[in-house]
């Protein structure tokens, strides 16, 4: 499928996906969604790819869902099409995705960043859920993921006032894992992705799955789920190789088996 709204590059075992609608500050419309779903399905299915980076431009990661596309829609259109339910498929990508965010990550843009596995923020990043100013609400999971990430007080204030959070505040609140200078953002994200992609592939999948389970289960079930996945990895060739390599003071060589 040829893409018009995103750019996709493969760098060794890392896929770099760049949102590319500069005229609309990377606003997310149905075409962006379809192209992202296609690109990330291909990434997930490719055994040579281990981690992805999703980024935007220096000015905007994404300034939200496309207001001009939504403007004329009524409830019948939205409900019949289950508008934007396709984003749930994005969250089912099994391999890790790092969001590299510079500039505006607003509304659906903030929600998309939060659907990724972690966020690296440029010092220029600004996060917000300004939908209330359009007389609507977050619709791609923002009220839920932001609340889990930063707690009720900040999430409630941001959703009710639409105010933006700076990169520093976002890091303090736990929304982003690290801040890097805007000039270094994509290279740093690619470096981090390459490190993840160099790990044993099944262990990477298992680590992602178990951290995500923390959002869906209580503590007891979550700890049990972790222990069972930990046990399961002892059926893999890479576990034998990883532990032998440590004992023999050499680097592990992974087969993904
Ligand atoms: N949708 C469509 N177009 C947009 C959007 C957007 N979200 N954001 C910016 N643009 C367009 C502008 O209309 C403008 O286009 P044009 O040149 O044709 O007029 C172009 O991008 C540049 O934007 P500005 O001139 O406004 O740039 P500024 O630097 O002056 O301002 C801002 C930048 C502050 C980011 C400003 O553009 C802005 O406030 N944008 C809207 C932010 C917003 O409200 N986002 C939330 C959208 S609603 C949403 O995301 C809901 C998600 C859930 C939906 C799920 C449905 C089920």
């Amino acid at each position: 499928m040829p893409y018009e709204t995103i750019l996709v590059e493969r760098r060794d075992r890392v896929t770099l996906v760049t949102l590319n609608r500069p005229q609309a500050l990377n606003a997310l419309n149905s075409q962006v969604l379809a192209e992202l779903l296609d690109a990330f399905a291909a990434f997930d299915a490719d055994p040579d790819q281990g981690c992805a980076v999703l980024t935007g431009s220096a000015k905007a990661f994404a300034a939200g869902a496309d207001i001009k596309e939504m403007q004329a829609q009524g409830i019948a259109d939205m409900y019949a099409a289950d508008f934007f339910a396709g984003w749930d498929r994005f969250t089912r990508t099994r391999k890790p995705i790092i969001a590299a965010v510079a500039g505006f990550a607003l509304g659906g843009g903030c929600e998309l960043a939060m659907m990724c596995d972690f966020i690296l923020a440029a010092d220029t990043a600004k996060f917000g859920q300004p939908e209330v100013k359009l007389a609507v609400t977050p619709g791609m999971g923002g009220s839920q993921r932001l609340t889990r990430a930063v707690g009720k007080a900040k999430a409630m204030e941001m959703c009710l006032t639409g105010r933006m959070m700076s990169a520093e505040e976002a890091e303090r609140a736990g929304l982003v894992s690290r801040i890097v200078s805007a000039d270094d953002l994509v290279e740093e994200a690619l470096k981090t992705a390459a490190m993840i992609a160099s790990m044993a592939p099944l262990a990477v999948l298992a680590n992602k799955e178990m951290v995500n389970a923390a959002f869906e289960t209580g503590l007891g079930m979550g700890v049990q789920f972790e222990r069972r996945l930990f046990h399961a990895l002892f059926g893999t060739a890479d576990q034998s190789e990883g532990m032998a390599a440590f004992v023999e003071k050499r680097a592990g060589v992974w087969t993904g088996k």
Side-chain angles (χ1 to χ4, degrees):
M1 168 178 188
Y3 301 135
E4 291 174 353
T5 65
I6 61 172
L7 304 170
V8 179
E9 290 167 58
R10 293 203 162 72
R11 307 239 188 132
D12 196 17
R13 287 180 49 74
V14 172
T15 299
L16 173 63
V17 179
T18 306
L19 298 165
N20 189 33
R21 288 190 78 206
Q23 72 288 1
L25 301 185
N26 292 330
L28 306 167
N29 62 13
S30 305
Q31 186 180 3
V32 178
L33 171 59
E35 293 183 5
L36 282 179
L37 289 178
D38 190 76
F40 280 97
F43 156 71
D44 229 14
D46 184 345
D48 292 332
Q49 294 299 292
C51 189
V53 172
L54 176 61
T55 195
S57 69
K59 178 158 182 189
F61 176 75
D66 192 316
I67 298 167
K68 293 165 188 168
E69 184 184 58
M70 289 185 293
Q71 184 183 10
Q73 304 233 23
I75 183 171
D77 310 311
M78 287 258 171
Y79 190 51
D82 204 0
F83 193 70
F84 274 177
W87 289 107
D88 294 344
R89 269 166 54 208
F90 177 85
T91 66
R92 289 197 287 274
T93 308
R94 296 189 66 207
K95 294 174 190 167
I97 307 171
I98 302 172
V101 175
F104 297 112
L106 301 178
C110 185
E111 295 172 297
L112 175 58
M114 292 190 291
M115 285 183 221
C116 297
D117 296 300
F118 60 91
I119 302 173
L120 284 186
D123 42 16
T124 58
K126 292 186 186 68
F127 299 88
Q129 297 290 161
E131 290 90 342
V132 70
K133 296 183 185 172
L134 302 168
V136 290
T137 66
M140 288 161 50
S143 64
Q144 307 304 298
R145 291 195 178 91
L146 187 65
T147 306
R148 282 163 168 78
V150 305
K152 179 183 171 186
K154 274 190 192 292
M156 190 67 93
E157 187 197 350
M158 286 175 71
C159 288
L160 290 179
T161 67
R163 88 163 169 88
M164 293 184 214
M165 208 186 244
S166 67
E168 289 76 23
E169 185 179 2
E171 188 190 32
R172 275 200 310 276
L175 179 61
V176 310
S177 67
R178 274 189 293 138
I179 301 176
V180 295
S181 84
D183 289 343
D184 299 336
L185 176 69
V186 173
E187 281 316 311
E188 186 58 33
L190 288 170
K191 211 165 82 185
T192 307
M195 183 187 290
I196 293 169
S198 75
M199 306 291 175
L202 295 176
V204 168
L205 291 184
N207 275 281
K208 170 168 171 168
E209 209 174 328
M210 63 175 66
V211 173
N212 281 335
F215 292 95
E216 307 288 347
T217 60
L219 181 63
M221 286 302 293
V223 170
Q224 176 86 341
F225 179 72
E226 176 191 89
R227 193 181 306 129
R228 292 293 175 245
L229 260 181
F230 174 79
H231 294 162
L233 288 172
F234 280 72
T236 68
D238 281 347
Q239 173 273 327
S240 307
E241 166 65 5
M243 294 194 175
F246 176 81
V247 172
E248 293 160 20
K249 301 188 188 302
R250 59 175 177 82
V253 179
W254 316 124
T255 58
K257 300 277 168 63

